[in-house]
Amino acid sequence: MVRKIIKIDEEKCIGCGLCADACHEGAIEMVNGKAKLTREDYCDGLGDCLPACPVDAISFEEREAPAYDEAAVKEAQAKKKAAGKLPCGCPGTQSRAIKREAVSEVAACAHMTSQLQQWPVQIKLVPVNAPYFDGADLLIAADCTAYAYANFHQEFIRNRITLIGCPKLDEGDYAEKLTAIIAGNDIKSVTIVRMEVPCCGGIENAAKRALQASGKFIPWRVVTVTTDGRLKE
């Protein structure tokens, strides 16, 4: 049947995951850091996801598509709820408690010296050109990584210039700003640290696009932090 259904522009998508959160039917999922309409029969065509997108990557189109299957949607939601999963959106929003073994006060204080070398650190606030970018090893990190990974200062901030952001909460795309920083300064390397949740793909994709757009060959790597504070590189 021909009906109204959403269309996602993957070129515009920044991987923030807000549309997946807004889609109560679960028709949209994050795949490799991009929003995908994975179940056309779950899309009711009402467009709850449209206003959630900060870059206008979602629109309506009329085309041949399966009919909206409300019964299947409700069944899928019930199964996910029974399995302890969210009915829609980013799994990183699911509440959980993390139990840790007690450590001595001496051990807890062992790495208390800050390794931060510059201010500001927010991608939106940092200047495009600054003396500390000259010959810098750049760290581009999602906000939550420093809270999730205990030794973040020593392993990632140390000897690097730090830029942080959250693609799920910040408006717009980081790629243009990061491109200007990388292209206009003598950046020696780039380390991208993200959480394992799908919405964090936005900061990884923005950094990769910035590296490509800069026209420079710069060593880079991506490190993923799990929600329980481990590294998965």
Side-chain angles (χ1 to χ4, degrees):
M1 63 178 297
V2 175
R3 69 181 184 95
K4 186 168 69 172
I5 196 168
I6 66 157
K7 178 181 180 181
I8 301 174
D9 187 333
E10 292 187 20
E11 293 297 319
K12 289 184 178 180
C13 177
I14 60 174
C16 67
L18 293 176
C19 58
D21 285 345
C23 180
H24 303 295
E25 290 73 27
I28 301 174
E29 296 182 9
M30 302 305 297
V31 180
N32 296 324
K34 294 283 188 177
K36 301 274 189 181
L37 178 60
T38 56
R39 290 295 302 260
E40 293 183 351
D41 57 331
Y42 284 13
C43 178
D44 59 10
L46 297 178
D48 287 344
C49 54
L50 269 71
C53 182
V55 293
D56 296 324
I58 305 176
S59 59
F60 282 123
E61 65 176 345
E62 287 197 8
R63 62 175 174 83
E64 188 73 28
Y68 172 58
D69 191 340
E70 184 177 4
V73 169
K74 289 183 176 180
E75 182 181 355
Q77 289 175 339
K79 286 181 179 179
K80 288 182 179 180
K81 185 176 181 180
K85 299 180 181 179
L86 297 179
C88 60
C90 174
T93 62
Q94 186 172 12
S95 298
R96 58 179 300 193
I98 301 171
K99 295 183 179 180
R100 306 207 182 272
E101 294 182 6
V103 296
S104 69
E105 188 174 341
V106 173
C109 294
H111 298 293
M112 292 206 48
T113 302
S114 174
Q115 298 297 318
L116 191 65
Q117 297 188 38
Q118 102 287 346
W119 189 265
V121 294
Q122 286 283 351
I123 296 173
K124 298 291 186 178
L125 300 179
V126 74
V128 171
N129 297 106
Y132 48 71
F133 283 131
D134 186 27
D137 292 301
L138 194 63
L139 170 66
I140 302 172
D143 290 352
C144 295
T145 55
Y147 293 92
Y149 187 62
N151 207 28
F152 195 83
H153 272 249
Q154 292 295 325
E155 292 193 34
F156 295 110
I157 295 180
R158 187 180 183 182
N159 298 325
R160 293 188 177 95
I161 296 302
T162 302
L163 304 179
I164 66 171
C166 178
K168 191 177 183 69
L169 301 179
D170 293 343
E171 293 184 2
D173 186 8
Y174 300 129
E176 185 176 349
K177 181 76 171 283
L178 292 175
T179 299
I181 291 172
I182 295 170
N185 298 280
D186 182 23
I187 303 298
K188 297 300 185 184
S189 69
V190 175
T191 298
I192 305 160
V193 185
R194 55 164 293 181
M195 296 298 297
E196 65 177 336
V197 297
C199 53
C200 242
I203 201 164
E204 178 182 343
N205 289 332
K208 287 179 178 178
R209 284 185 283 126
L211 283 162
Q212 185 176 22
S214 73
K216 296 182 176 181
F217 179 77
I218 298 174
W220 62 275
R221 64 171 179 147
V222 177
V223 180
T224 300
V225 180
T226 65
T227 53
D228 62 353
R230 295 175 292 105
L231 295 185
K232 185 172 68 173
E233 192 167 352

